[in-house]
Amino acid sequence: MTRTTATGSIALAVVLLFTLGTLAAVFWRAEGLSGFGTADWAALRFSVVQATLSATLSILFAVPLARAIARRRFRGRGLLILLLGAPFILPTIVAVFGLISVFGRSGIVSDLLRLVGLEPISIYGFHGVVLAHVFFNLPLATRLVLQGWLAIPSERFRLAASLGFGPRDIARTLERPMLREVLPGTFLVIFLLCLTSFAVALALGGGPKATTIELAIYQAFNLEFDLGKAALLALVQFALGLAVALVALKVALPSGIGAGLDRSVTRWDAQTQMLRAVDAALISAATVFLVLPMAMIALDGVPRLFSLPASIWWATLRSLGVALASVLVTLALGFPIAALAVKRRGRLVEGIGSITLAASPLVIGTGLFVILFPLTDPFALALPVTALVNAVMSLPFALRALVPALGQIEADYGRLADGLGMTGMARFRHLWLPRLRRPLGFTMGLSAALSMGDLGVIALFAAPDAPTLPLQIYRLMAAYRMPDAAGGALILLASSLALFWLFDRGGRADADA
Amino acid sequence: MKATIIAAGLATLASAASAQDTLTVYTYDSFVTEWGPGPIIKENFEAQCDCTLDLVAVGDGAELLSRLQLEGDRTEADIVLGIDENLSAAARDSAMFALHGVDSPDLSMPVEWANDMFLPFDWGYFAFVYDKTRVENPPQSFEELADSDLKIVIQDPRSSTPGLGLLLWVKAVYGEEAGAYWERLADNIVTVTKGWSEAYGMFLEGEADMVLSYTTSPAYHLLAEGDDTKAAIAFEEGNYMQIEVAGKVATTDVPELADQFLDFMLTDGFQSAIPETNWMYPAHTPQEGLPEGFESVVPEKALIYFGTEARDIREVALEEWRAALSQ
């Protein structure tokens, strides 16, 4: 067994322990299985339909948006790319309030409509759920697709220009093959994120019509203490995710565009007035849609920002620590799995690595608790466990960014490196690391920010005197202190973005070149 | 010689440790925060018990019990504090609690207390809360509410104890007709949230005219923010109660200390902290009485299903609710 196979297998085993292992632990602790009721089937149907639609729409909007950003240079471009990272790292409850202040019954849009004598809009219902999920995931999709665009070597565009290619020819020869590689994985990640959505779907769905499987799992755990049912529901959700993963990764094809010399991209094909106007409109519309809710969150938080209780700042430090630890673990798991996936060319490895998103956070938390409780005091492990779970949860994003990039490197330079006898650490340091800067920065930034904002399992393990920032925000809300909670949300938004910016800077610097 | 000195020293250490018994109390998250009753209660109890009181936050009210059941007999918990009476039947069925042994607890509640396993530490009335500057003629009954075009935000009974409270409230008022009532109410409901915080936050943001909360909620705005624009409504049909209870875990290794805590729970050292930290009525009114705003709305009729009754009704009511609001 080679080193790649060994390390990759160990990393995969860790992922499986956190997903299937925790599920098995809950099954083992359950005292029998109970079947599916009508309500559960309805929840399953709703989950699948909204997740499919949300993922499809996110991608439909993301492709033209990413193309516009990829081929235009404008002031604030770097900032926009940075802000694209923001929505889906927000804790759901914070993001929901941002959306409501724009699209709600008393939000900006309704106020404007009333001014001109029209009926206010309603965000509540199936469309609200999809709107929220697109708000969360359109930016993510755009970032992932943008990575694909930026990975097309500038020499290809140069060649295309000298051959007199128009936008249509470029789309056919360069862009579509790239999309064929990037989109299925992007769809998968977003589908899974939406599949396990719970609080957002409920709050904006307008009622029990918008029940997802995750809510049914919560109910089975906490209202009925029916572990068997919770585990069964989680298993169904998991199997569904796995099936979609296998299809998505089967559809994806390596693009095989070939290597370039890393020169900056100039797009001679897209200089017409018409295309400029379309891109400008797209970028402006997306900016308003994504930035407005975040601006409202920030605005809400300002009044109390400097009079917040000290505990908020301690919670912030704690969350930063968790986030940094989580970045390290993400890399430690992500690299070996990506290397193995590239080496094997099999989609199964990447599929397993991506499947963590289909696992129910409630089941992971409970399963870990069942495993850890006989061994040690789970409360004492609250922060390490949170960092670990966050890392496993951000692994799919890491793989989305790392696997295609690493595959490209190996396709372009693998034989050369083999010929030079460059293996192990030498290959890692001199071939992979320099060429992986962009996806790596993105991965680390995303992992850090996700970990910052995630509430996932911390609630189950929370040590009473050591809350993380998201937990502290929830606690403030539960104590009627909504203005303080808004202040906390602003800190969370700012620190997540700062982390994301720090790590992602390398990647963005390249993008501007 | 040296060895005996060391041994004596160790013995002193050991006895010092045993004198400091620890009482572990599992409770819900908002109880232990710096704004909750936790810190005051810890200080007051430790001042009289020669022990350490370890308050452990375990998610929210519903998660409390499932956590205890997950831990089973190996649990460190000596007391579980914060179970909703509506869920206490499941707690009793878990066979993890001992009887409290208090003969006739001195309680200030509008209903009789006959539970030999759990003791209440606070209670409240569920009520719709509105903003006086926006709603001029608030509905005085469920009937008026359904007939009005006011918009409300409520919580999901499957994930929130206030949501469960409203479910049982409607059932207590309408009985067989509860499903039909929910259908009539459907067009008033803006949305159903996972928990109280989301719903209350939405109400404060102006997303709805009214929110399901407690009769004591306006007191928070009055006392903590000097804002008297919020008000709660006592419905003509009566208001459903939430009673929060505590129980002694059967496997406790410090049973006397646990008993001592349950006794302490109904004294002023505990009860005085409740109104202005938990924003609920104390189960036993402390000597100094209730703060301003706590008696401005007093429902004429207190509704509640106890333990097993609540459990039996819940399943049917939940299905009616789901069916009515899923159309």
Side-chain angles (χ1 to χ4, degrees):
Chain A
M1 195 179 352
T2 66
R3 186 149 48 167
T4 311
T5 318
T7 51
S9 306
I10 292 172
L12 278 182
V14 172
V15 172
L16 286 176
L17 172 75
F18 272 86
T19 48
L20 289 180
T22 49
L23 186 57
V26 175
F27 263 121
W28 169 75
R29 187 69 177 67
E31 275 147 14
L33 284 180
S34 41
F36 255 50
T38 17
D40 302 319
W41 286 113
L44 182 65
R45 205 167 41 239
F46 175 78
S47 299
V48 172
V49 171
Q50 60 85 7
T52 309
L53 193 61
S54 304
T56 309
L57 285 180
S58 298
I59 283 188
L60 277 183
F61 295 130
V63 169
L65 180 59
R67 184 175 55 193
I69 296 174
R71 68 189 180 190
R72 299 294 162 204
R73 298 290 173 274
F74 50 92
R75 280 169 70 106
R77 180 173 179 268
L79 184 67
L80 176 64
I81 295 179
L82 170 69
L83 286 176
L84 283 179
F88 90 114
I89 57 182
L90 288 173
T92 52
I93 194 169
V94 173
V96 164
F97 279 106
L99 280 173
I100 285 174
S101 58
V102 177
F103 299 101
R105 293 181 68 236
S106 55
I108 299 175
V109 177
S110 287
D111 285 349
L112 287 177
L113 287 174
R114 273 193 210 99
L115 266 183
V116 295
L118 291 172
E119 281 287 299
I121 52 163
S122 169
I123 194 181
Y124 304 99
F126 184 76
H127 61 283
V129 179
V130 174
L131 177 88
H133 284 160
V134 170
F135 171 76
F136 278 116
N137 297 307
L138 168 62
L140 171 69
T142 308
R143 275 304 302 252
L144 288 172
V145 177
L146 188 61
Q147 298 279 350
W149 244 291
L150 297 178
I152 301 178
S154 63
E155 288 80 7
R156 300 296 169 276
F157 289 109
R158 192 179 285 258
L159 180 63
S162 67
L163 290 173
F165 277 18
R168 199 173 298 225
D169 304 309
I170 291 207
R172 182 171 47 82
T173 55
L174 295 179
E175 295 174 335
R176 261 180 233 149
M178 181 275 292
L179 290 176
R180 178 88 194 259
E181 178 173 27
V182 174
L183 287 189
T186 307
F187 177 89
L188 171 64
V189 166
I190 297 176
F191 177 86
L192 295 180
L193 278 173
C194 299
L195 188 68
T196 53
S197 162
F198 166 10
V200 176
L202 198 58
L204 296 179
K209 282 187 292 288
T211 297
T212 55
I213 307 176
E214 196 66 18
L215 173 67
I217 295 175
Y218 183 97
Q219 182 187 359
F221 264 129
N222 292 318
L223 203 57
E224 292 150 10
F225 196 66
D226 187 344
L227 294 180
K229 185 167 179 188
L232 188 66
L233 286 163
L235 187 66
V236 169
Q237 178 167 298
F238 199 79
L240 192 69
L242 193 64
V244 175
L246 291 179
V247 173
L249 295 169
K250 191 130 198 129
V251 173
L253 282 180
S255 58
I257 280 177
L261 299 172
D262 300 345
R263 276 191 288 239
S264 74
V265 176
T266 310
R267 293 291 300 268
W268 292 274
D269 62 301
Q271 303 302 331
T272 66
Q273 287 295 339
M274 175 69 184
L275 284 180
R276 277 171 190 273
V278 169
D279 284 355
L282 267 171
I283 292 171
S284 323
T287 309
V288 171
F289 173 61
L290 297 174
V291 171
L292 213 50
M294 285 190 277
M296 296 304 288
I297 293 168
L299 225 56
D300 257 5
V302 171
R304 290 290 175 95
L305 190 58
F306 298 103
S307 54
L308 286 173
S311 56
I312 276 273
W313 300 104
W314 286 112
T316 308
L317 279 183
R318 227 170 272 126
S319 279
L320 284 173
V322 168
L324 293 179
S326 170
V327 167
L328 290 179
V329 181
T330 306
L331 290 184
L333 292 172
F335 254 121
I337 295 180
L340 186 63
V342 168
K343 186 180 171 197
R344 284 289 160 89
R345 294 180 185 281
R347 294 296 179 169
L348 189 64
V349 173
E350 198 188 340
I352 296 173
S354 297
I355 202 64
T356 55
L357 283 177
S360 154
L362 272 168
V363 170
I364 291 190
T366 310
L368 278 178
F369 189 86
V370 169
I371 295 170
L372 289 175
F373 184 68
L375 307 173
T376 171
D377 174 17
F379 291 119
L381 291 175
L383 294 183
V385 164
T386 306
L388 255 173
V389 172
N390 287 346
V392 172
M393 284 304 200
S394 50
L395 198 56
F397 307 104
L399 293 179
R400 284 308 333 128
L402 289 179
V403 171
L406 198 57
Q408 194 72 52
I409 293 172
E410 282 297 305
D412 296 342
Y413 302 101
R415 269 168 298 179
L416 179 63
D418 287 342
L420 293 170
M422 205 190 226
T423 56
M425 275 315 277
R427 193 173 183 126
F428 179 78
R429 277 185 51 202
H430 299 297
L431 176 59
W432 290 5
L433 267 191
R435 306 198 67 82
L436 279 177
R437 242 179 66 193
R438 193 183 287 155
L440 213 52
F442 177 64
T443 299
M444 292 166 77
L446 211 57
S447 164
L450 265 179
S451 184
M452 203 60 215
D454 175 62
L455 197 65
V457 294
I458 181 73
L460 261 167
F461 283 86
D465 41 2
T468 56
L469 185 52
L471 186 60
Q472 194 70 348
I473 294 173
Y474 273 77
R475 285 179 170 179
L476 281 165
M477 289 191 71
Y480 285 95
R481 291 163 191 265
M482 311 290 171
D484 284 337
L490 173 56
I491 298 175
L492 182 60
L493 180 63
S495 46
S496 301
L497 272 181
L499 272 182
F500 187 66
W501 177 76
L502 270 176
F503 285 116
D504 194 40
R505 215 161 72 110
R508 277 190 321 115
D510 272 2
D512 285 337
Chain B
M1 182 64 199
K2 212 180 249 174
T4 42
I5 294 175
I6 293 173
L10 283 177
T12 326
L13 273 178
S15 69
S18 71
Q20 274 287 319
D21 278 333
T22 297
L23 183 74
T24 306
V25 175
Y26 279 14
T27 183
Y28 49 81
D29 209 54
S30 58
F31 197 89
V32 302
T33 60
E34 57 193 282
W35 320 282
I40 306 170
I41 283 162
K42 181 177 163 67
E43 194 188 323
N44 289 349
F45 187 60
E46 285 179 352
Q48 68 176 68
C49 73
D50 188 27
C51 72
T52 305
L53 177 61
D54 197 6
L55 289 168
V56 180
V58 187
D60 66 20
E63 287 157 15
L64 201 53
L65 198 57
S66 56
R67 162 61 79 86
L68 188 74
Q69 284 172 277
L70 269 185
E71 296 189 352
D73 290 345
R74 294 170 39 95
T75 185
E76 289 288 316
D78 303 305
I79 296 275
V80 177
L81 183 134
I83 299 168
D84 186 336
E85 172 61 24
N86 290 327
L87 297 172
S88 72
R92 189 179 280 269
D93 290 346
S94 73
M96 292 190 67
F97 290 91
L99 301 183
H100 59 63
V102 179
D103 272 341
S104 47
D106 185 11
L107 300 173
S108 330
M109 296 205 301
V111 290
E112 289 294 311
W113 192 253
N115 193 324
D116 56 358
M117 191 170 277
F118 298 103
L119 280 172
F121 64 92
D122 70 8
W123 61 280
Y125 290 111
F126 290 115
F128 285 97
V129 172
Y130 67 99
D131 188 325
K132 287 190 274 189
T133 61
R134 296 208 313 260
V135 178
E136 282 169 12
N137 296 309
Q140 299 301 314
S141 63
F142 274 116
E143 284 301 300
E144 285 183 29
L145 173 61
D147 290 339
S148 75
D149 51 10
L150 291 170
K151 296 291 181 188
I152 59 174
V153 203
I154 59 172
Q155 300 84 1
D156 196 311
R158 298 167 294 180
S159 55
S160 147
T161 51
L164 183 58
L166 179 63
L167 183 82
L168 296 173
W169 187 4
V170 169
K171 192 72 185 163
V173 170
Y174 286 94
E176 296 282 296
E177 302 298 314
Y181 181 76
W182 281 111
E183 280 176 30
R184 288 174 56 205
L185 195 63
D187 61 347
N188 298 89
I189 300 171
V190 173
T191 196
V192 179
T193 64
K194 179 191 174 219
W196 175 89
S197 305
E198 289 101 321
Y200 207 79
M202 282 182 171
F203 162 69
L204 292 180
E205 290 278 315
E207 283 299 289
D209 302 308
M210 307 204 295
V211 61
L212 179 74
S213 190
Y214 301 89
T215 54
T216 42
S217 299
Y220 170 80
H221 297 283
L222 183 68
L223 298 175
E225 296 175 341
D227 166 12
D228 66 353
T229 60
K230 308 288 185 291
I233 313 164
F235 270 2
E236 284 161 10
E237 297 97 336
N239 288 48
Y240 197 83
M241 289 175 72
Q242 175 164 55
I243 302 177
E244 297 194 289
V245 304
K248 178 167 78 164
V249 179
T251 50
T252 174
D253 51 356
V254 283
E256 286 93 25
L257 200 53
D259 288 336
Q260 194 186 339
F261 181 81
L262 288 180
D263 288 337
F264 163 77
M265 192 173 83
L266 292 175
T267 64
D268 286 8
F270 185 110
Q271 295 292 317
S272 297
I274 292 296
E276 287 184 62
T277 53
N278 233 23
W279 303 98
M280 297 281 276
Y281 287 103
H284 170 83
T285 310
Q287 200 149 25
E288 71 269 21
L290 294 170
E292 190 191 352
F294 267 68
E295 279 152 317
S296 51
V297 178
V298 180
E300 284 177 23
K301 203 168 154 195
L303 305 171
I304 184 141
Y305 292 116
F306 289 104
T308 47
E309 211 181 354
R311 180 193 56 198
D312 296 343
I313 289 169
R314 185 182 77 206
E315 209 159 310
V316 183
L318 203 53
E319 196 40 51
E320 290 170 350
W321 173 87
R322 206 186 60 79
L325 295 187
S326 292
Q327 284 170 10

